[in-house]
Amino acid sequence: MIRQTLLYISLFYLLISCNYGQLTNTWNYPEINPIPKSQKLFGMTVVDSYHNLTDLQDTIVQKWLKAQDSLAESYFLNNQWFKIFQERFQELEGRGRGNINLIRNDENGNYFYLRYDETQDADELYFKEKLSDKEIKLFDTRTYPIEGKNISYLEPSYDGSKIAIGFNPNEDFTTTILIYDLEAKEFLRDQITHINPDFGGVQWLPDNSGIIYLYFPYVEQSSAKYKKGSYSVIHFLGEDPQKRTPIFGNDSNLGIASDYFPKVKIGSSLDSYIIGYAAKSGMFYDSFIAKLSDVMKGNPRWKPFFKATDKVYYNQGEIRGQYFIYRRATPDGNQLCQVVIENPNFESPLILASGSLEEPITHFEITKDNIYFIREKFGVEISIFRIDDLQNTVQLEPPFTPGYASFFGESVAHNHIGIGMDGWTSNYVRYNIDSQGKFSDEGLLGSANFPEFHDMVSKQIMVTSHDGVEVPLSLVFKKDMPLDSNNEVFMYVYGAYGQSMSPFFSPTYLDWVSQGGILAFPHVRGGGEKGEEWHTQGMKTLKYNSWKDLVACTESLIEIGYTRKGLVSLYTNSAGGITAGMAVNESPELYSSFIAEVPRLHPFGLESATMSNSTSYIEYGTINDSLECLGLVKMDPYLNLSANSYYPATLILPSSNDDRIPLWDSGKYIAKLQKYNQANTPILMDIDYDSGHENALSYDASIDLNARIFSFAKANMRD
């Protein structure tokens, strides 16, 4: 009722008429008076024009935000493309609805997975001892001990006798973890709260008697200590979950900052050591190591292991017997290395394999006798290798050349391993790899059929950026379509934290191609497509390379005649907001629309906030350093908006429950852009009041979100 009332009220702000292909608007945006704040830092003055929007508890601010959201709702109510995309996406995604997801294996090779039940509108948990066995539903959703049916996390014990299940009924920062006993066929009384599985998850003890997890004492966003002061605790099954015995991170002698996340890792039931990480933003952490026997006795004796300066990737280190095997960053494509745990030499390790600038090593996993690793050519073409117990390296031959691959089911307790692969135009398939390196279809997943995508191709071109550096640009289009200036382009960019824009198969995205458009994915600096150096060239004071690479890629598409100005819609999410937002600021005429989901658009504001609970300064810079502070100002899309300028249609999709990027980040940007924009283009903020930054969306909510994104892109193409 409230939402409907707000929708009607918003019609006073929007007089809109629409036809099938284009929206014609007269815009009258909700108003809020700017109350600026100036800061003087290192001889420069930084003006935050809408500083008053920082106070999200202010009723005036809240009403303004609600009015902005209602304006966006009115827009989509009148956008006929929105309904068209909704219906198409429902049909496409519906072909795979009910399929298996969140697949997990224990060390015995048993399978745990979710299958969506439409009658219950919930994910059901299933179990298979062998792939050939009949699947067993472990419990009915009506027997959940807590309210809510959304399973967001699974982690079986090593022996498969129990499984930790995460529920997120409130779609907030924390998750509730319950333990299901497969032998007793019931939930245990253990109920773990104040945990977010994105930060290390549940680590089962080798004997399956309990778990270790990262505990967050402060989980209320209004608290000045929100997410700070976390530490890892041990919980033995049957104990009071409120006991929370600290085992890592609460000892001041370790020197772990209060805004870091002291999480731990146990790799297998055979591990006799446990590794603790001082986790933060970025790819490299300081680490510590202890004997698991001491930890389980409540008397951990942590000692320093490797440092962040050793460039060991935080998620790429495994224990096998007396050795620690890991991936480290190098200027020429990364290496797989090995050290002896009791006397590690991270400066001169044993080198097991090396990558190259064009094909860096991006991932690896180990089994009892083998090491498997992946090399990625510019982030989109995968090669798979195996190192045997004699350190012989052999390249494996998968059934097709994948654009993305990830291993599953591996453990140092056995030699079984599988790999999941897909690409821009190849649906996800899971294979087992046998002792001879042969691939066989695992057979668990059934792939939906999409005949309308069979005539699509992908290719990668190299674009020369502003400084002569070549930037990879991936394109997806119909094989026989005319590559001329009439093509509508949907461009997706990220470029941060060393994350590659790896290929993914998405019916929602490929629908754009089936309707005659082009998908474009610029692999800009700040990502990891050419190794760690590619990342560092798009960090801090060098962040400008990210958006200048993006502009170069867009201009190149226009220059080679694949499209033209006014037919390129730019989409991004999260940290990609800096890259995309600054590209739009510098070259607004290139883009027909700018769409950003949970974006970071005011990095200077976050780093200078008194209640900042982020370690993102490691990626972007800090206001406490003169050069980095200047870099923050120069990379800030909100601060760099220009008055009396012509900006493309803009749709910002923030979340009010975002634990990483506060709602005022998007709010300030929208307020200023609406005031400055001289073009007759919609500038909208569509707020999600339910989800967080990376909460899993429900099936219908996901389709609705994507329909908004693509319908906005389509409706605002300019002839």
Side-chain angles (χ1 to χ4, degrees):
M1 289 289 291
I2 293 173
R3 185 118 181 137
Q4 188 177 37
T5 301
L6 287 168
L7 186 61
Y8 291 146
I9 291 173
S10 70
L11 293 176
F12 287 103
Y13 295 114
L14 175 62
L15 300 174
I16 183 169
S17 61
C18 59
N19 54 43
Y20 184 81
Q22 182 69 32
L23 295 174
T24 304
N25 313 290
T26 302
W27 300 102
N28 187 7
Y29 297 112
E31 293 185 1
I32 190 165
N33 291 325
I35 302 177
K37 178 183 177 181
S38 297
Q39 283 181 271
K40 289 188 176 182
L41 296 164
F42 305 106
M44 63 180 172
T45 300
V46 182
V47 180
D48 178 1
S49 303
Y50 285 87
H51 181 73
N52 47 312
L53 292 180
T54 306
D55 185 2
L56 296 175
Q57 303 306 312
D58 186 328
T59 56
I60 295 176
V61 173
Q62 291 177 349
K63 288 179 181 178
W64 179 82
L65 291 169
K66 288 286 187 181
Q68 290 285 353
D69 183 53
S70 294
L71 178 61
E73 292 300 320
S74 297
Y75 173 88
F76 286 109
L77 182 67
N78 289 276
N79 182 344
Q80 292 188 29
W81 281 112
F82 175 56
K83 185 169 182 60
I84 291 170
F85 277 100
Q86 264 190 327
E87 291 174 352
R88 285 215 297 259
F89 293 170
Q90 285 278 2
E91 193 280 323
L92 288 169
E93 297 293 348
R95 298 183 200 177
R97 191 171 186 181
N99 276 357
I100 293 167
N101 64 87
L102 214 60
I103 304 168
R104 298 291 183 267
N105 298 95
D106 61 25
E107 286 188 345
N108 295 321
N110 300 320
Y111 281 81
F112 300 82
Y113 54 87
L114 301 180
R115 188 188 289 279
Y116 182 76
D117 185 338
E118 290 195 31
T119 61
Q120 296 291 327
D121 187 27
D123 287 321
E124 304 278 11
L125 180 60
Y126 284 85
F127 168 80
K128 272 191 176 187
E129 187 169 350
K130 297 179 181 178
L131 281 174
S132 58
D133 292 346
K134 183 178 179 181
E135 64 181 13
I136 300 171
K137 184 165 69 173
L138 293 183
F139 55 83
D140 193 281
T141 55
R142 289 169 291 187
T143 66
Y144 290 178
I146 62 173
E147 184 180 351
K149 299 180 180 180
N150 179 23
I151 298 177
S152 57
Y153 179 77
L154 296 176
E155 188 60 44
S157 58
Y158 296 111
D159 64 358
S161 64
K162 301 172 183 67
I163 183 168
I165 307 172
F167 298 86
N168 193 353
N170 298 318
E171 298 291 347
D172 56 13
F173 173 70
T174 58
T175 292
T176 299
I177 299 289
L178 303 180
I179 309 296
Y180 185 78
D181 189 319
L182 275 74
E183 296 173 351
K185 297 182 179 180
E186 64 181 12
F187 283 99
L188 303 181
R189 289 183 294 177
D190 311 66
Q191 186 173 121
I192 308 300
T193 59
H194 287 248
I195 176 177
N196 184 317
D198 289 340
F199 295 82
V202 164
Q203 302 293 308
W204 282 94
L205 298 177
D207 64 358
N208 311 293
S209 64
I211 61 174
I212 296 175
Y213 66 94
L214 183 64
Y215 167 65
F216 289 90
Y218 309 101
V219 295
E220 298 296 330
Q221 289 197 33
S222 58
S223 171
K225 296 183 179 181
Y226 177 51
K227 293 200 299 184
K228 294 183 178 180
S230 61
Y231 53 91
S232 288
V233 300
I234 191 169
H235 169 76
F236 291 97
L237 300 183
E239 288 186 345
D240 181 359
Q242 303 300 316
K243 183 179 178 181
R244 297 192 178 103
T245 303
I247 57 100
F248 178 64
N250 64 318
D251 185 350
S252 60
N253 293 328
L254 298 179
I256 300 176
S258 64
D259 56 352
Y260 284 21
F261 307 107
K263 62 182 183 180
V264 303
K265 180 178 180 180
I266 304 172
S268 76
S269 63
L270 302 181
D271 285 7
S272 55
Y273 295 92
I274 181 173
I275 299 176
Y277 297 91
K280 55 183 178 16
S281 292
M283 307 297 289
F284 312 113
Y285 307 157
D286 289 341
S287 75
F288 304 83
I289 195 166
K291 291 185 177 180
L292 261 168
S293 57
D294 292 337
V295 171
M296 294 177 68
K297 293 175 184 176
N299 184 34
R301 300 174 183 177
W302 296 100
K303 61 180 182 180
F305 197 34
F306 56 81
K307 294 287 187 182
T309 51
D310 291 316
K311 299 294 184 180
V312 178
Y313 284 98
Y314 73 90
N315 59 343
Q316 291 282 282
E318 300 290 342
I319 292 173
R320 185 164 69 181
Q322 62 179 319
Y323 300 109
F324 179 67
I325 302 169
Y326 62 95
R327 181 171 68 102
R328 72 172 179 180
T330 64
D332 53 357
N334 305 334
Q335 293 175 329
L336 290 186
C337 306
Q338 178 176 291
V339 296
V340 178
I341 293 175
E342 286 296 332
N343 187 28
N345 185 346
F346 288 99
E347 292 184 0
S348 300
L350 174 65
I351 308 300
L352 302 174
S354 297
S356 66
L357 281 176
E358 288 192 354
E359 294 185 83
I361 296 174
T362 58
H363 193 69
F364 85 97
E365 294 293 350
I366 63 176
T367 62
K368 181 180 178 182
D369 298 314
N370 301 309
I371 302 172
Y372 295 81
F373 69 92
I374 289 171
R375 293 174 66 177
E376 292 185 21
K377 186 175 182 179
F378 298 144
V380 297
E381 187 177 316
I382 298 298
S383 299
I384 305 165
F385 300 85
R386 181 170 69 183
I387 305 173
D388 63 22
D389 55 348
L390 299 177
Q391 296 185 14
N392 299 312
T393 301
V394 177
Q395 182 172 352
L396 306 184
E397 297 182 4
F400 65 95
T401 301
Y404 174 78
S406 61
F407 298 107
F408 64 84
E410 73 286 337
S411 172
V412 299
H414 57 69
N415 278 322
H416 305 300
I417 192 169
I419 190 168
M421 305 187 298
D422 67 352
W424 296 125
T425 59
S426 303
N427 206 347
Y428 181 75
V429 185
R430 289 164 59 99
Y431 295 93
N432 289 318
I433 305 176
D434 67 16
S435 59
Q436 304 302 311
K438 302 298 183 182
F439 292 73
S440 61
D441 193 330
E442 181 194 44
L444 182 64
L445 290 178
S447 295
N449 188 28
F450 298 97
E452 60 267 62
F453 301 156
H454 291 171
D455 63 343
M456 296 179 185
V457 295
S458 63
K459 77 172 186 176
Q460 192 173 74
I461 62 177
M462 303 303 291
V463 174
T464 302
S465 192
H466 69 104
D467 55 356
V469 171
E470 287 195 324
V471 180
L473 171 61
S474 295
L475 303 173
V476 183
F477 49 86
K478 281 187 176 181
K479 181 168 53 178
D480 298 323
M481 71 178 290
L483 294 174
D484 57 32
S485 61
N486 295 314
N487 294 310
E488 297 178 347
V489 175
F490 186 86
M491 181 175 284
Y492 178 16
V493 71
Y494 185 68
Y497 291 105
Q499 300 296 321
S500 297
M501 178 65 73
S502 298
F504 57 91
F505 182 86
S506 168
T508 296
Y509 279 71
L510 291 177
D511 175 73
W512 185 269
V513 179
S514 70
Q515 301 303 318
I518 296 176
L519 292 174
F521 304 93
H523 303 277
V524 302
R525 278 173 280 189
E529 285 83 350
K530 292 186 179 181
E532 178 57 20
E533 185 68 17
W534 198 246
H535 172 212
T536 57
Q537 287 180 22
M539 286 178 62
K540 294 185 176 181
T541 57
L542 296 177
K543 186 62 186 172
Y544 62 87
N545 284 322
S546 299
W547 69 78
K548 289 188 180 296
D549 288 351
L550 171 56
V551 169
C553 287
T554 310
E555 290 176 336
S556 178
L557 278 181
I558 295 169
E559 289 170 2
I560 63 178
Y562 281 20
T563 188
R564 65 176 183 268
K565 293 179 181 179
L567 294 183
V568 181
S569 178
L570 179 61
Y571 167 72
T572 191
N573 64 308
S574 193
I578 297 174
T579 297
M582 285 303 300
V584 169
N585 280 0
E586 290 197 358
S587 302
E589 74 285 352
L590 293 179
Y591 305 101
S592 56
S593 60
F594 170 40
I595 306 165
E597 183 187 353
V598 292
R600 188 173 298 256
L601 296 165
H602 186 23
F604 176 87
L606 184 64
E607 302 310 332
S608 61
T610 56
M611 290 180 60
S612 176
N613 47 47
S614 170
T615 58
S616 57
Y617 59 84
I618 298 168
E619 177 77 9
Y620 308 118
T622 172
I623 64 168
N624 299 318
D625 178 276
S626 60
L627 291 178
E628 292 185 4
C629 183
L630 178 61
L632 275 169
V633 172
K634 289 184 175 180
M635 76 173 69
D636 193 299
Y638 162 67
L639 294 179
N640 287 284
L641 288 168
S642 299
N644 301 315
S645 296
Y646 291 80
Y647 287 99
T650 300
L651 174 63
I652 306 301
L653 299 138
S655 169
S656 65
N657 295 321
D658 197 324
D659 65 288
R660 303 180 193 182
I661 305 173
L663 185 55
W664 52 255
D665 184 296
S666 292
K668 291 181 184 182
Y669 179 84
I670 283 292
K672 193 173 182 180
L673 181 58
Q674 287 176 347
K675 180 179 180 181
Y676 281 180
N677 184 34
Q678 295 298 300
N680 187 29
T681 51
I683 307 296
L684 304 175
M685 180 166 61
D686 192 354
I687 304 170
D688 184 344
Y689 283 99
D690 297 318
S691 303
H693 189 74
E694 287 186 342
N695 289 142
L697 292 170
S698 67
Y699 173 81
D700 291 329
S702 177
I703 287 177
D704 179 86
L705 172 64
N706 285 318
R708 289 169 189 257
I709 291 169
F710 282 94
S711 66
F712 191 84
K714 182 67 176 179
N716 287 286
M717 290 292 171
R718 303 194 302 268
D719 292 331

